[in-house]
Amino acid sequence: MYAALTRQAILDAAAKLFVSQGFDGTSVDDLAHESQLSKGAVYHHFQDKKQIFEEVYRVAAEGVITSVVQATIQPDLIEPWDRANAAVRAAIQTYAAQPDMRSLLRQVVGVLGEERTRALDGEVAMPLIRGLLEELNALGQLQPVDIPITALMVFRLLSESSLAIALSGDPGEQARRVEVSVLTLLSGLRA
């Protein structure tokens, strides 16, 4: 239990510092100081600062997915397309509402590289996207498309949408514009 608490203290400190100071502006000494641990304790739990950032980003991305899942299980959403649209709206609005997530999103490719970022985002988001598409397909509400390819394309569309929100000076307004575009594009998949 102590190890889990120590690890969480490091991640909490890292989330705060990576947002406020950026990855490059944060040292392992800063992480140790902020978490009230020794530098050795930080290295005991993580190989390096990049691994810490990856875990902070993963936790934040999983938080977005949690918001999306909660939006899709509302009792008033009976129709499958309503759930799919609610999922898209929730993802977009979560990025617009969370400045910390937007900060991490602006940094992630520079820290982890594009390939690792895509893989990590895919691990977190693809099961949900694919599941929604498979549900729509099983109910005959999806155009005849290849599900794995379509899931990948929807994933990339949502990834680019979240980045457009993160890079905007007005995330709320950008989210409104992105939502209209994404929902319009996805409506073409409807049977």
Side-chain angles (χ1 to χ4, degrees):
M1 186 166 97
Y2 178 74
L5 291 173
T6 302
R7 183 178 172 85
Q8 190 59 52
I10 296 165
L11 292 173
D12 291 345
K16 177 182 174 184
L17 293 175
F18 290 151
V19 167
S20 65
Q21 299 175 192
F23 178 82
D24 292 332
T26 301
S27 69
V28 174
D29 287 326
D30 295 333
L31 295 172
H33 178 75
E34 183 69 28
S35 60
Q36 299 180 354
L37 297 166
S38 69
K39 193 173 177 179
V42 174
Y43 281 119
H44 176 76
H45 290 277
F46 296 96
Q47 179 181 348
D48 57 19
K49 189 172 72 163
K50 187 187 244 186
Q51 185 184 32
I52 298 168
F53 185 92
E54 181 172 327
E55 188 62 23
V56 166
Y57 181 76
R58 176 190 298 277
V59 169
E62 288 170 349
V64 173
I65 295 301
T66 298
S67 297
V68 170
V69 169
Q70 289 173 348
T72 64
I73 60 172
Q74 297 304 310
D76 60 329
L77 297 176
I78 298 167
E79 294 297 320
W81 272 102
D82 291 342
R83 283 196 304 281
N85 288 339
V88 169
R89 284 187 184 99
I92 290 168
Q93 293 307 317
T94 300
Y95 281 106
Q98 293 184 2
D100 291 359
M101 184 58 190
R102 290 193 311 272
S103 174
L104 295 172
L105 190 58
R106 287 189 298 269
Q107 298 177 64
V108 68
V109 172
V111 175
L112 301 179
E114 189 169 338
E115 186 176 323
R116 181 62 192 138
T117 301
R118 279 187 185 192
L120 183 58
D121 284 342
E123 291 168 18
V124 174
M126 283 295 284
L128 179 60
I129 294 169
R130 190 169 180 156
L132 285 169
L133 288 172
E134 287 171 349
E135 177 187 8
L136 291 167
N137 190 51
L139 294 170
Q141 295 191 13
L142 191 67
Q143 290 285 343
V145 294
D146 181 283
I147 299 290
I149 290 172
T150 304
L152 180 61
M153 293 173 74
V154 169
F155 164 70
R156 292 306 305 149
L157 174 63
L158 292 172
S159 294
E160 290 302 318
S161 297
S162 62
L163 188 57
I165 294 165
L167 294 174
S168 173
D170 185 350
E173 178 56 30
Q174 185 76 326
R176 283 186 283 282
R177 293 195 315 257
V178 163
E179 184 178 303
V180 169
S181 296
V182 171
L183 291 175
T184 301
L185 288 167
L186 294 180
S187 69
L189 293 171
R190 191 170 189 165

